[in-house]
Amino acid sequence: MTQTETPSRGSVTSEGLATRAPCGRSGVCFFIQLYSKVFKKVVNMASDDITQLADSLSKTHVGDGELSFKGLGLKLDNAESVRELVTKIEQYQGLRALRLGGNTVGVEAAKAIAKALCSKDQLQRCYWSDMFTGRLRSEIPTALMSLSGALMSAGARLTELDLSDNAFGPDGVKGIEQLMKSASCHTLRELRLNNCGMGIGGGKILAEALIESHKKSTALGSPLRLKVFFAGRNRLENEGASALAKAFQLMGTLEEIHMPQNGINYAGVIALASAIRQNPNLQVLNFNDNTFTKRGTLAMAQALRLLRNVQVINFGDCLVRSEGAIALAAVLREGLPILRELNLSFGEITGGAALVVAQAAMDKPHMEKVNLNGNCLGEDSCEVLREVMDNMDKGDMLASLSEDEGEPDDEEDEDSANGDSDASDECYETDECEEIVKENGKTGGGSPKKPQKQAEIQTFLRSPTAEKLSHMKMNLQEQVNAAEPNQAADIFLKIGSLYSEDTEAKLAVFEMIDEVLKKVLSASALQSYCFLTSLLVLMGVLKGERKVKKMSLVPGQLLCLEHAVQQEYFSQDHVSLLHTLLSRNGDALKSCSAARERLCSALEKKWHKFR
């Protein structure tokens, strides 16, 4: 038969079979032979599949109470396809752990497995990641409900549940909702739901299930004590993260939280920070690739001050920026005693701020790795950073800087300040960021603000004069608050603008400067660092996150700072911060070059005195 001919009736084009069927008795014989060959071929194919399945099952790991079918690549569609697997489960006495990941399980197969699990009351660990590849999303909740129902029927008490990489969406969370609320999960210690596409809806369902589980287990006298939580790449966003934060806050037992790549910005980060405060045993925090900005970072910094067991912090690709990085450096100075790893990569941190972080990190006795790659240091700052750490014999601690973005120019800075932050970041930073630094109003040392006195301060700030300063001297002392760094920095600069070489006037200004700085610099490291960074932003030395009207500097302001640096209240850490940032961006003060030289000289003297 040529390629252009159409096979005649009865033709079979399979390899090895005739293409034309003869008639009569010989035709009957032909068809008997034909179907015999086809049957043999089908049997051989089925035999190959069974052989392949048997070969895969022969690789099953058995031991230590664990039965593993992990990574066998089995396509389990129905009860027949899982017959041998089910038999192994049924025959395994004392089953404590079951691994099904790396296979694909259909609804009917899941029901058959579930039936086998109904008698496994000792099962504690279910490693069921990546087991629905190629399945319709509508199938997965049904399969999960079958498996969940079996665990509950058996009376299993789970300690670990891993359903990562299953892409089941919010409906998939509904498939495990009843399990999460049941007594089978009152003993849960580790929950892994990475890359499941839960979304906001799924995050809320999971949070409510955890909250109910905790309430039920508490009522029974043994509260849920979840220690490890993974939910990366789930599109939780602010609402999902905030819902889960309520569950975390209620439990208070978490040791690890991993929630990278979830589209969370500062609102969700603040909610999570509030929950973190209530989990004193936290050791690992991974929020990589979310969007903190200054507000979120300050909230996290405030929470971290209270934690003593944190060993790993991953805030890489979180847009912490320079002000946020310096706030975290303050926390390193006063807390986090056993921190081993800090990742602040790809956060738009500039050279001076990165150096402040590195200096604080080098003082931590257990620190092993600091990652500042992918920031905006520039070639010179990268070299200085390496040199500083090498000189302290800490060069191995610093991760590669090979992907540094280089120093941003002024135009790029303006774009990032205006384009990457929420519009509300620009308008209300003074109120909301300072509210975070206040620690809910419990610290800061300021008196409650009286409207009349506050009005006088605002009048002075709008138009400072020596007469007004003398008149409201006591008011300023009372109203300056370390928990309001932006206003405190503004007050400092306005007082400094009244500097005069007249002896009496100079002493009056220095006296007020001392009173203000004693108050703000004697507060926590975080509050005092926030004041100094706010001051440097207003002076143009440090690029702030939001667009700030740059203040016209006069030499007297720098001379007031020179005076302050020489006082006892100006600590080693404060000198180090100011010295580091001014040395990296002293050009911002070139309009007051003589006063700048005096300030830098005073910093150098005190810097070497401390060293």
Side-chain angles (χ1 to χ4, degrees), residues 325-528:
I326 292 171
L328 292 170
V331 177
L332 288 176
R333 290 290 189 192
E334 65 178 345
L336 301 172
I338 59 172
L339 189 67
R340 293 187 294 106
E341 295 182 25
L342 176 64
N343 184 347
L344 296 180
S345 59
F346 299 93
E348 293 190 4
I349 300 169
T350 54
L355 194 53
V356 170
V357 170
Q359 288 169 339
M362 285 190 291
D363 288 338
K364 310 308 291 184
H366 301 281
M367 187 67 76
E368 297 172 3
K369 187 65 66 178
V370 177
N371 190 345
L372 293 165
N373 198 16
N375 283 297
C376 305
L377 278 63
E379 189 174 338
D380 289 345
S381 290
C382 284
E383 189 58 38
V384 169
L385 184 57
R386 292 190 191 97
E387 184 179 334
V388 166
M389 297 195 76
D390 283 339
N391 288 343
M392 296 293 291
D393 199 24
K394 302 280 187 178
D396 292 342
M397 182 189 294
L398 184 65
S400 168
L401 299 173
S402 60
E403 296 181 77
D404 186 71
E405 297 286 341
E407 292 183 77
D409 56 40
D410 292 339
E411 187 176 341
E412 287 174 345
D413 282 350
E414 236 178 82
D415 289 342
S416 67
N418 294 327
D420 292 337
S421 303
D422 293 279
S424 57
D425 278 347
E426 291 186 23
C427 301
Y428 302 107
E429 181 182 275
T430 299
D431 294 331
E432 294 188 28
C433 283
E434 290 180 348
E435 195 63 35
I436 292 166
V437 179
K438 284 180 187 178
E439 282 192 329
N440 299 318
K442 294 177 182 177
T443 63
S447 303
K449 284 188 166 46
K450 297 178 181 179
Q452 183 180 353
K453 292 183 177 181
Q454 187 63 13
E456 289 179 0
I457 291 176
Q458 293 303 322
T459 301
F460 171 75
L461 293 176
R462 282 193 294 270
S463 178
T465 65
E467 184 180 355
K468 289 178 184 176
L469 179 63
S470 176
H471 176 69
M472 59 180 299
K473 178 178 177 181
M474 291 303 298
N475 286 353
L476 274 175
Q477 291 176 359
E478 289 177 8
Q479 298 299 301
V480 168
N481 194 330
E484 297 178 345
N486 292 325
Q487 187 183 70
D490 195 13
I491 289 172
F492 173 89
L493 290 173
K494 292 298 170 56
I495 295 172
S497 70
L498 301 176
Y499 174 91
S500 167
E501 288 299 334
D502 176 78
T503 303
E504 187 176 344
K506 185 195 312 185
L507 289 175
V509 168
F510 281 169
E511 183 181 354
M512 279 304 302
I513 288 292
D514 289 339
E515 291 299 325
V516 169
L517 292 188
K518 280 178 186 176
K519 201 165 191 179
V520 295
L521 295 181
S522 64
S524 70
L526 178 58
Q527 289 176 330
S528 62

Side-chain angles (χ1 to χ4, degrees), residues 19 40 88 93 112 138 150 171 181 210 256 398 543:
T19 58
K40 286 179 180 177
K88 289 201 173 192
Q93 299 301 311
S138 59
D171 289 340
K181 293 178 180 179
L210 287 169
E256 296 184 25
L398 184 65
K543 177 66 182 124

Side-chain angles (χ1 to χ4, degrees), residues 110-398:
K111 289 179 179 178
I113 294 171
K115 188 175 179 181
L117 292 176
C118 283
S119 62
K120 302 301 176 183
D121 60 337
Q122 296 182 55
L123 185 59
Q124 297 176 339
R125 303 185 302 278
C126 296
Y127 304 109
W128 295 350
S129 62
D130 187 24
M131 60 182 242
F132 296 115
T133 302
R135 302 293 171 182
L136 296 175
R137 183 171 285 189
S138 59
E139 294 181 76
I140 301 174
T142 305
L144 287 172
M145 281 189 273
S146 295
L147 295 167
S148 296
L151 296 173
M152 291 186 284
S153 296
R157 294 292 183 265
L158 298 184
T159 57
E160 296 181 45
L161 178 61
D162 185 357
L163 288 167
S164 299
D165 302 317
N166 279 314
F168 46 52
D171 289 340
V173 184
K174 291 178 183 178
I176 61 169
E177 182 179 7
Q178 295 308 311
L179 173 65
M180 295 302 305
K181 293 178 180 179
S182 75
S184 289
C185 283
H186 289 178
T187 50
L188 200 61
R189 297 294 179 264
E190 299 185 16
L191 178 61
R192 290 176 168 83
L193 294 167
N194 271 333
N195 193 30
C196 289
M198 289 191 290
I200 293 171
K204 288 181 175 180
I205 294 168
L206 178 62
E208 286 301 320
L210 287 169
I211 289 170
E212 186 168 335
S213 181
H214 185 271
K215 288 179 179 177
K216 286 182 176 179
S217 58
T218 300
L220 294 171
S222 183
L224 170 64
R225 297 180 58 82
L226 191 67
K227 293 184 177 182
V228 177
F229 181 81
F230 281 74
R233 299 182 65 191
N234 270 294
R235 304 192 307 276
L236 293 169
E237 301 181 17
N238 289 339
E239 290 183 63
S242 297
L244 286 165
K246 292 178 182 177
F248 298 164
Q249 189 160 344
L250 183 65
M251 291 184 290
T253 55
L254 286 165
E255 295 178 3
E256 296 184 25
I257 300 177
H258 302 258
M259 295 175 67
Q261 294 184 335
N262 270 297
I264 306 168
N265 66 29
Y266 74 88
V269 173
I270 289 172
L272 288 166
S274 180
I276 283 169
R277 292 167 176 254
Q278 307 304 320
N279 287 265
N281 297 320
L282 270 169
Q283 298 175 21
V284 179
L285 282 174
N286 178 6
F287 292 111
N288 189 283
D289 199 7
N290 291 291
T291 307
F292 282 28
T293 61
K294 178 181 176 180
R295 277 195 273 183
T297 310
L298 282 178
M300 277 292 175
Q302 195 65 270
L304 288 169
R305 289 182 63 230
L306 307 175
L307 304 179
R308 311 296 294 174
N309 297 305
V310 177
Q311 298 179 38
V312 178
I313 294 175
N314 185 346
F315 294 164
D317 205 8
C318 283
L319 214 61
V320 301
R321 293 189 171 128
S322 296
E323 289 174 280
I326 292 171
L328 292 170
V331 177
L332 288 176
R333 290 290 189 192
E334 65 178 345
L336 301 172
I338 59 172
L339 189 67
R340 293 187 294 106
E341 295 182 25
L342 176 64
N343 184 347
L344 296 180
S345 59
F346 299 93
E348 293 190 4
I349 300 169
T350 54
L355 194 53
V356 170
V357 170
Q359 288 169 339
M362 285 190 291
D363 288 338
K364 310 308 291 184
H366 301 281
M367 187 67 76
E368 297 172 3
K369 187 65 66 178
V370 177
N371 190 345
L372 293 165
N373 198 16
N375 283 297
C376 305
L377 278 63
E379 189 174 338
D380 289 345
S381 290
C382 284
E383 189 58 38
V384 169
L385 184 57
R386 292 190 191 97
E387 184 179 334
V388 166
M389 297 195 76
D390 283 339
N391 288 343
M392 296 293 291
D393 199 24
K394 302 280 187 178
D396 292 342
M397 182 189 294
L398 184 65

